[in-house]
Amino acid sequence: MVLGGAGAAAFGAYDDLAGSGDRRGFRGHLGALRQGEVTTGAVKLGGIGVTGVVSAALAGGSPVDVIVNAGLVAGGANLLNLFDLRPGRAIKVAAASGVLLGAAGQDSVAAPLGAALALLPEDLGERAMLGDAGANALGAMLGASAAGLSRPARIVLLAGIAGLTAASEKVSFTKVIARTPALNWLDMLGRRPAPQTEPSGTEPSGTGPPSPQPLATI
């Protein structure tokens, strides 16, 4: 878990600091590679993939288990980052995932989940943000914490991660959340009100600066 989180954080920080955000999603980064352009997102994808394999190998198990666990670490890192588009959203998703993993007997999830929840007030208050570094690290650690599940459960979980990641290439999670009342309520819970639009000719009242956005998102 430590190796998976540290590697994902390092490659996420690289993308945060050096990425332009011009290319997004697997399609964008792989398309750039076909044209001979190595994006920071592509470097991050490869780096987190290698991190997942190494951390899974350290955890041990059969070759199948190593492959599945590597997918959980790398896939978890990428998927959670896809939710880090609004204040507090990624941490809320991580909290829900952590509760489910804890209920399944994976006590190791307590460490990353506790750290994330400690950051929630700052994230909701728009005083800090996870960025790629934080979201990738948290997702990777959640993926690593699932290594103790049975093989069938891990395969189902990996399939779900892959399905959601593939869906993100076609569907906006933000739009789905916005038009689903229960999800929208949870997404807005604890967040600052959005600035109000003022009529022309009046001074904007606002409620503060706009929500910070990730510098680059896979």
Side-chain angles (χ1 to χ4, degrees), residues 25-27 78-79 82-83 159-174 176 179 218:
F26 283 101
R27 182 183 301 176
N78 181 66
L79 181 60
L82 294 177
F83 287 98
I161 290 174
L164 286 173
T165 302
S168 71
E169 296 286 328
K170 298 288 186 180
V171 179
S172 167
F173 289 168
T174 294
V176 172
R179 62 173 178 254
I218 286 294

Side-chain angles (χ1 to χ4, degrees), residues 8-117:
F11 286 106
Y14 167 69
D15 198 18
D16 274 336
L17 297 173
S20 65
D22 293 336
R23 304 277 189 167
R24 293 181 180 276
F26 283 101
R27 182 183 301 176
H29 296 301
L30 295 179
L33 280 176
R34 285 194 295 268
Q35 299 172 11
E37 177 188 355
V38 180
T39 64
T40 57
V43 173
K44 183 175 78 168
L45 281 173
I48 291 179
V50 172
T51 295
V53 171
V54 175
S55 61
L58 286 177
S62 70
V64 173
D65 289 322
V66 170
I67 292 172
V68 172
N69 291 342
L72 290 175
V73 173
N78 181 66
L79 181 60
L80 192 64
N81 193 40
L82 294 177
F83 287 98
D84 191 33
L85 295 175
R86 295 294 185 272
R89 180 183 294 173
I91 295 179
K92 291 175 183 177
V93 172
S97 303
V99 168
L100 292 175
L101 287 170
Q106 307 309 299
D107 296 337
S108 60
V109 76
L113 187 57
L117 291 176

Side-chain angles (χ1 to χ4, degrees), residues 116-135:
L117 291 176
L119 294 173
L120 185 58
E122 296 296 308
D123 199 347
L124 289 173
E126 302 178 30
R127 296 180 294 273
M129 62 183 293
L130 291 177
D132 284 19

